[in-house]
Amino acid sequence: MSSKIQKPLFREYIIASDLLKGFPVEIISPRIPHFHFLLAFASEDYVEDPNTKKKLGKGNFRATWDVKKFSPESIRNLKSEYGAKVVISLGGRGTDFPFNPQDKEIWIDNAKKSLQHIITEQYKGPFGTVIDGIDINYEYIESSEEDFAHCIGKVIDYLKTLISVVSIAPSNPVLSHYQKLFKAKPDRVDWVNYQYYKQKVSNTSEFVNLHKTLIDTFSVEKLLAGFSTDPNDKGNISLEVFIEGALQLISSASLSGIFVSDAQSSLDSEPSHYVEGKAQKLLTESD
């Protein structure tokens, strides 16, 4: 692999957790050099626009995952034993969690305060926060590209003083919004989790060509390819296409890592967590 991709990354979203007893550490390959768990989601409060009936975001974020199950102590143990990092993912899936601030500047102030509380108070450790980063993961955006880049950019600038890792999670329907954000903050964004499962990708060549096109915007060293085990995402890209495409991209030094959404759906599949094991094997046996 090229000098830019010497240490591949694997990331795993935890979106629901009723079947999980805690972090599914059994999926962590001892050969993978970088492993992240992403707790999803820190979601904001909304009010309804009386005229349009659309949801307007207030920027007051709260953790929707099981904070007792994924506690500061459990994260400290995870880091100590496995060296994994933990990131909180902001936003949510679908139209119930849109990015659509009621007031841009108030939204920014509220987001800074509420996210700081989660990071530095709710997840306070003996030597500072146990949270390593944030992930911007709005799948539905009502606002303009400019407003999205402005508001999220301000929050990223602020939170970079508290955490070290920032990622964004674009998908085809909102790609232009994330492109605008990335171009505004290229040095602030460390990773780009592209959700291939949100669009129809029929064959391997489509997958490979799409990834190489996205590299032009997001750079080869930051762009990750994502696969979903959630039954609701089934049908857009098959596992066979994803695996074969990933192999081709790895062989041409065009893939820095893979992420999977999500741990609970993978646990409930047969065999459990097959995709996670296969993906990490691809990343570590092709270098």
Side-chain angles (χ1 to χ4, degrees), residues 14-25:
I14 297 176
I15 293 180
S17 62
D18 51 307
L19 296 180
L20 298 173
K21 296 180 180 179
F23 288 107
V25 295

Side-chain angles (χ1 to χ4, degrees), residues 7-249:
K7 297 181 179 180
L9 168 66
F10 182 83
R11 312 184 98 193
E12 178 85 352
Y13 280 93
I14 297 176
I15 293 180
S17 62
D18 51 307
L19 296 180
L20 298 173
K21 296 180 180 179
F23 288 107
V25 295
E26 65 275 11
I27 72 175
I28 302 175
S29 167
R31 292 193 61 198
I32 200 78
H34 298 293
F35 190 105
H36 297 177
F37 279 116
L38 296 93
L39 293 173
F41 291 95
S43 295
E44 59 177 304
D45 294 333
Y46 295 91
V47 295
E48 185 179 81
D49 187 313
N51 298 316
T52 65
K53 304 302 180 184
K54 292 181 177 180
K55 287 187 169 184
L56 301 174
K58 299 175 68 178
N60 292 315
F61 286 87
R62 58 185 176 81
T64 64
W65 58 84
D66 189 329
V67 176
K68 291 183 178 179
K69 193 180 293 185
F70 302 101
S71 65
E73 183 179 7
S74 70
I75 294 176
R76 287 198 299 272
N77 292 338
L78 174 74
K79 289 172 177 288
S80 174
E81 190 166 352
Y82 297 95
K85 291 186 176 182
V86 176
V87 172
I88 60 174
S89 188
L90 320 181
R93 302 210 66 181
T95 58
D96 285 340
F97 304 97
F99 179 84
N100 192 26
Q102 184 178 24
D103 179 286
K104 294 192 295 292
E105 299 310 316
I106 293 175
W107 188 96
I108 292 168
D109 286 342
N110 287 343
K112 289 178 180 178
K113 292 173 185 176
S114 58
L115 291 170
Q116 180 182 15
H117 176 77
I118 295 173
I119 293 168
T120 64
E121 296 300 327
Q122 204 165 9
Y123 279 94
K124 183 178 181 180
F127 304 105
T129 182
V130 294
I131 297 297
D132 296 287
I134 59 166
D135 173 60
I136 309 302
N137 199 330
Y138 282 95
E139 294 185 353
Y140 187 75
I141 302 173
E142 283 276 359
S143 299
S144 68
E145 297 167 8
E146 290 73 17
D147 286 351
F148 182 71
H150 171 71
C151 294
I152 299 296
K154 289 289 187 182
V155 172
I156 288 175
D157 284 342
Y158 179 74
L159 293 181
K160 264 289 194 176
T161 64
L162 307 174
I163 45 87
S164 58
V165 176
V166 171
S167 60
I168 60 175
S171 59
N172 185 57
V174 290
L175 178 57
S176 62
H177 287 79
Y178 284 93
Q179 287 174 323
K180 186 79 172 181
L181 172 61
F182 185 82
K183 288 176 181 177
K185 301 290 177 181
D187 296 330
R188 295 290 201 182
V189 176
D190 303 287
W191 301 103
V192 179
N193 295 356
Y194 191 79
Q195 302 178 26
Y196 285 93
Y197 45 89
K198 298 293 289 183
Q199 67 192 96
K200 189 69 176 176
V201 184
S202 301
N203 54 58
T204 302
S205 61
E206 273 188 37
F207 176 39
V208 171
N209 291 336
L210 174 56
H211 190 85
K212 289 186 176 181
T213 299
L214 291 166
I215 283 173
D216 292 339
T217 296
F218 298 117
S219 76
V220 66
E221 64 267 28
K222 294 186 178 184
L223 182 61
L224 309 179
F227 186 82
S228 176
T229 56
D230 186 332
N232 294 319
D233 296 321
K234 190 176 182 180
N236 279 336
I237 182 170
S238 70
L239 180 58
E240 291 74 20
V241 166
F242 185 85
I243 294 299
E244 180 58 34
L247 270 172
Q248 290 188 25
L249 290 168

